[in-house]
Amino acid sequence: MPAISSHRSGLKRTVAALACTLAAGTAAAQDRITSFGLYGAPGLMDTPTAEMAPDATLSTTFARIHDSTRVTLSFQLTPRISGSFRYAALENFSNPGSIGGVYYDRSFDLRYQLLTEGRYRPAVTIGLQDFAGTGLYSSEYLVATKTIAPGLKLTGGLGWGRLGSSNAFATTGTRPTTTLGKGGIPSYNQWFRGDVSAFGGISYAPNDRLRLKAEYSLDAYVDEVAGSSFKRKSPWNYGLDYTFKSGHQLSLYHAYGDTFGVSMTFFTRLKESPIPGSTDSAPLPVKPRSAAQRADLGWTADSTISNKAYGSLSASLAKEGIALEGMDLDGRSATVRVRNIRYGMTPQAIGRTARAMTRSLPGSVENFTIVPVVSGMALSAVEMRRSDVEALENEAAAEMLAKTRIVDGFGRAPEVTPGIYPRFTWSLGPDLNFSIFDPNSPIRANLNMRVQAAYELSPNLVLEGAVSKRVTGNLYKVSTPPAVAPTLPPVRTDYAKYANEGDPAIDSLTLSYYGRPGPNLFSRVSVGYLEMMYAGVSTEVLWKPVDSRLGLGVELNYVKKRDFDQMFGLQSYDAVTGYASAYYDFGNGFHGQLDVGRYLAGDYGATISLDREFGNGWRVGAYATFTDASAEDFGEGSFDKGLRFTIPLSWPSGKSTRGASKITLQSLNRDGGSRLELNNRLYDRVREYHEPQMTNTWGRFWR
């Protein structure tokens, strides 16, 4: 069955982000990443080691052994926990799910390091391989690795499943043999059950570039041997790693006495940038005041000075990529209303605004209040003393944070300066829309030209939309899975019809109103063509105190399905869908979300999400949706789940921008658990301007 992961973004953004993710050399030689094996995780070849990659390392491994190709994406979620997603293609594989003699398989791994390596103690890791897939690669293990001399490491472990499929020395009960099913549900009844075999190996790195390794693997390759010319003649495998200066790894193998293998692993360190420092222009220096300037209030009797100060500040901020929309000024204080156009890290915009204020405002103005606004909503009010800005310019940003207050912006924003609205913006450029995991063609894509435009009638009222025209592509050929549950309407599985007939297409056309109904409250109402498949009305209310890690929201939508040509027509299918949501910032960049409600197909359930975000804007996460649609009704995959990545465009370039490429990898796209694809939900718009998030990125205040 096909699995579709559709993503719409500017082509330049997507290609640049993916290229830099794969090619950026961020693994320093002095912090060398351990060897990765054929399964795209720390290992020798087919067997794991107990080592972990450095925290926040994202790796992509392309591996080939005989008739099997494996592509694995792994992420070091914490220093001791890592996870992997694998997509494999097995040729000459006899299985009912094979297409053209090729069987495509998806699997997930999870590893936890029980013990780190000490002077006498080995590192010890427990792992689940293919714990929620079809079971083709299913295995569990307990493994230890110890450095016994510089560059020389020994590994030994116990394996179940594939790692225990020959020469077992013990058993821990009967292991269920059902594999290659619908997949998607953790196979609890198999874990650490069945035959147990020992595996092990040795590696030696004479220098930072080369590593020699040998392993003893008891994976019998039962399914592969049965359907191909592969003959497993020996349990011994041998390999060679070559680590490039960039930190990426090329490996060559001779496996099981019969075949050869090769793998290439690209490492991306999300905490680091491929561009040292920043390519932004230097910020304006703070302008100190004299004692006489601090005491002079004579300017307050001359309105032209206030107007001149506003014009000077507006011009300075415009050069910094910040729009001044309003200002309240008196003898001792100034409150400015600003819109951050350029900076992905909000404190950088706040810091540059404060610097400009020291240069443009009269010397007697001591108290600064900076109110950032998004879609007319005053999200917070950042209060500081001018004298602190002057005194701490050359100190650590944390010193300035200690002197700053971040409070609710409700009722604090100055009135908008006349003439700023209405405002019209537009853009034209290439656009890439793609799908993956269709067994008939694992990767399909459309290249479109896309026009986007927004007409802001007032700060809170925005008319916006996008129109696209296909240039080339084969996305319309994505396989449509057969209906497995007549009780579930085809709310997403007819995606290919939209891709085929929507040329040209109105991607979206909405009128949205954003508001602040009260303290700690934010609201949105959108009406129109909300996304490529649905039109209607979407409403949302969010409760999010400025100093709280917790946010609560309610979303309610009434939608009708659009015609396949994605123009103005509507089909008869309609739905009421909505959710109650809870958001929580766990700290250290971890963000959790729970949505409970009714989905597009009328099924009820919940979506659980967990993301880790870094100070440079990178974000990696996963989600899973469970509804009252049964696994049988859902079909292959059993329930909706996926991985998602946000790649900031400032990361590869070193130049500040608010642009980002968002990519979602879904193991499947079915009708159960489907929700609207809205791009203007409130929480992510609001939270980056609140205290927990600004505290995490405050280090950029002086940049």
Side-chain angles (χ1 to χ4, degrees):
M1 303 297 176
I4 301 171
S5 174
S6 62
H7 166 61
R8 180 162 285 161
S9 71
L11 177 61
K12 292 180 181 178
R13 293 183 177 184
T14 302
V15 171
L18 288 174
C20 287
T21 298
L22 292 178
T26 58
Q30 64 269 23
D31 193 12
R32 193 160 174 254
I33 295 177
T34 185
S35 175
F36 272 48
L38 286 163
Y39 282 102
L44 294 168
M45 280 154 281
D46 260 354
T47 61
T49 64
E51 298 169 292
M52 291 284 172
D55 185 34
T57 297
L58 180 68
S59 64
T60 306
T61 300
F62 301 89
R64 175 79 176 180
I65 177 170
H66 197 68
D67 287 339
S68 298
T69 301
R70 304 168 189 164
V71 180
T72 307
L73 192 68
S74 294
F75 181 56
Q76 194 68 39
L77 184 63
T78 72
R80 292 195 177 195
I81 301 175
S82 66
S84 302
F85 169 71
R86 182 177 305 102
Y87 190 57
L90 294 85
E91 301 166 18
N92 302 312
F93 189 76
S94 57
N95 182 270
S98 298
I99 296 185
V102 180
Y103 180 76
Y104 295 97
D105 183 79
R106 296 172 295 274
S107 57
F108 296 88
D109 302 350
L110 192 63
R111 294 163 47 92
Y112 177 69
Q113 191 175 61
L114 298 170
L115 298 173
T116 57
E117 184 174 354
R119 183 177 180 182
Y120 303 107
R121 179 187 66 216
V124 178
T125 292
I126 188 171
L128 301 174
Q129 182 173 287
D130 192 5
F131 71 92
T134 59
L136 175 64
Y137 291 122
S138 177
S139 183
E140 302 82 49
Y141 56 85
L142 183 67
V143 62
T145 298
K146 184 72 179 75
T147 303
I148 59 175
L152 184 62
K153 297 182 179 183
L154 288 179
T155 293
L158 303 177
W160 289 256
R162 283 190 68 129
L163 287 173
S165 54
S166 64
N167 292 349
F169 69 89
T171 184
T172 54
T174 301
R175 186 181 185 92
T177 57
T178 301
T179 59
L180 305 177
K182 294 183 181 300
I185 297 178
S187 49
Y188 308 105
N189 62 337
Q190 290 187 343
W191 294 353
F192 300 98
R193 297 183 65 181
D195 291 343
V196 186
S197 297
F199 62 86
I202 186 170
S203 69
Y204 175 63
N207 54 51
D208 286 340
R209 295 297 181 88
L210 293 177
R211 181 188 288 110
L212 305 172
K213 51 192 184 180
E215 73 173 7
Y216 179 75
S217 170
L218 294 177
D219 184 343
Y221 271 70
V222 174
D223 294 304
E224 290 88 346
V225 169
S228 73
S229 60
F230 174 47
K231 305 298 181 183
R232 184 183 181 280
K233 298 178 180 179
S234 168
W236 289 98
N237 300 325
Y238 306 93
L240 169 69
D241 294 343
Y242 179 78
T243 302
F244 295 90
K245 186 178 180 180
S246 63
H248 308 316
Q249 174 191 311
L250 172 66
S251 301
L252 302 175
Y253 311 103
H254 183 258
Y256 302 104
D258 180 71
T259 191
F260 291 90
V262 61
S263 68
M264 184 73 194
T265 301
F266 298 91
F267 298 103
T268 303
R269 301 285 287 277
L270 302 193
K271 291 183 177 180
E272 302 172 3
S273 172
I275 304 295
S278 171
T279 60
D280 288 338
S281 60
L284 292 170
V286 172
K287 184 177 181 181
R289 300 163 293 169
S290 65
Q293 289 172 326
R294 292 171 184 248
D296 182 11
L297 291 170
W299 66 270
T300 58
D302 186 352
S303 61
T304 61
I305 295 180
S306 297
N307 293 336
K308 183 179 179 180
Y310 180 91
S312 173
L313 181 59
S314 179
S316 295
L317 290 180
K319 293 177 182 178
E320 300 283 350
I322 301 167
L324 178 64
E325 292 195 345
M327 181 172 71
D328 291 336
L329 183 65
D330 61 32
R332 297 296 183 187
S333 64
T335 301
V336 295
R337 174 191 183 114
V338 295
R339 181 163 42 84
N340 175 20
I341 301 171
R342 178 177 299 166
Y343 302 100
M345 303 296 108
T346 300
Q348 189 170 2
I350 300 296
R352 295 206 172 203
T353 300
R355 287 173 178 269
M357 291 173 75
T358 68
R359 304 186 65 84
S360 297
L361 302 184
S364 67
V365 177
E366 168 65 11
N367 300 309
F368 291 172
T369 300
I370 302 170
V371 183
V373 297
V374 173
S375 298
M377 299 180 292
L379 301 183
S380 61
V382 185
E383 301 175 343
M384 63 190 72
R385 294 193 310 165
R386 185 175 185 170
S387 55
D388 291 330
V389 177
E390 294 170 340
L392 300 174
E393 180 184 15
N394 296 314
E395 303 296 328
E399 299 291 331
M400 190 65 216
L401 178 61
K403 301 285 187 178
T404 302
R405 292 181 68 233
I406 303 173
V407 298
D408 190 3
F410 179 74
R412 301 291 300 274
E415 293 295 323
V416 177
T417 301
I420 293 180
Y421 294 92
R423 196 171 71 96
F424 179 75
T425 57
W426 69 282
S427 65
L428 169 66
D431 171 75
L432 184 67
N433 198 9
F434 64 85
S435 77
I436 57 178
F437 306 141
D438 180 356
N440 290 321
S441 181
I443 300 177
R444 295 187 186 274
N446 276 357
L447 173 62
N448 306 317
M449 288 300 296
R450 194 172 192 229
V451 179
Q452 301 180 80
Y455 186 61
E456 298 170 86
L457 293 97
S458 70
N460 302 84
L461 188 62
V462 183
L463 176 66
E464 58 188 334
V467 176
S468 63
K469 176 72 174 70
R470 185 168 69 239
V471 177
T472 186
N474 60 355
L475 195 57
Y476 62 92
K477 295 181 180 179
V478 170
S479 304
T480 299
V484 294
T487 56
L488 293 180
V491 295
R492 289 295 183 196
T493 47
D494 49 6
Y495 171 86
K497 295 180 181 179
Y498 286 89
N500 182 32
E501 298 186 28
D503 183 31
I506 300 173
D507 300 331
S508 63
L509 181 60
T510 60
L511 180 66
S512 299
Y513 181 79
Y514 302 88
R516 290 294 315 264
N520 303 322
L521 292 175
F522 305 84
S523 64
R524 173 188 59 83
V525 178
S526 301
V527 60
Y529 298 88
L530 303 172
E531 50 136 292
M532 68 175 293
M533 295 178 67
Y534 291 92
V537 180
S538 174
T539 62
E540 185 182 5
V541 175
L542 173 69
W543 173 83
K544 175 63 175 69
V546 71
D547 59 350
S548 175
R549 295 181 180 272
L550 177 67
L552 300 174
V554 177
E555 177 184 317
L556 183 63
N557 314 293
Y558 172 72
V559 296
K560 294 198 72 172
K561 200 169 184 181
R562 297 178 60 183
D563 281 349
F564 296 129
D565 62 5
Q566 296 178 66
M567 299 306 286
F568 295 102
L570 300 175
Q571 300 182 33
S572 60
Y573 180 77
D574 63 350
V576 175
T577 176
Y579 317 91
S581 301
Y583 312 88
Y584 194 76
D585 180 353
F586 292 99
N588 195 31
F590 287 93
H591 297 269
Q593 181 175 338
L594 174 65
D595 304 297
V596 179
R598 189 173 194 260
Y599 294 80
L600 281 171
D603 47 333
Y604 291 86
T607 298
I608 302 172
S609 307
L610 181 66
D611 297 86
R612 187 177 180 188
E613 187 174 51
F614 301 92
N616 56 17
W618 261 96
R619 191 171 184 178
V620 179
Y623 74 91
T625 298
F626 307 91
T627 75
D628 57 3
S630 67
E632 289 74 19
D633 289 341
F634 186 90
E636 184 184 352
S638 303
F639 61 94
D640 186 40
K641 53 193 170 294
L643 306 174
R644 56 195 185 191
F645 305 86
T646 298
I647 308 173
L649 299 188
S650 59
W651 181 78
S653 67
K655 186 172 183 63
S656 291
T657 174
R658 293 189 59 77
S661 182
K662 297 183 179 181
I663 301 172
T664 298
L665 302 180
Q666 293 174 276
S667 61
L668 285 171
N669 187 357
R670 301 301 293 267
D671 297 317
S674 295
R675 60 187 299 181
L676 285 175
E677 296 181 356
L678 301 175
N679 60 8
N680 59 352
R681 289 188 168 100
L682 292 171
Y683 179 68
D684 282 334
R685 288 185 159 210
V686 169
R687 72 174 179 86
E688 68 171 293
Y689 293 91
H690 281 190
E691 182 179 332
Q693 184 67 12
M694 278 212 274
T695 298
N696 290 339
T697 57
W698 193 262
R700 300 190 70 87
F701 180 85
W702 291 121
R703 297 187 184 180

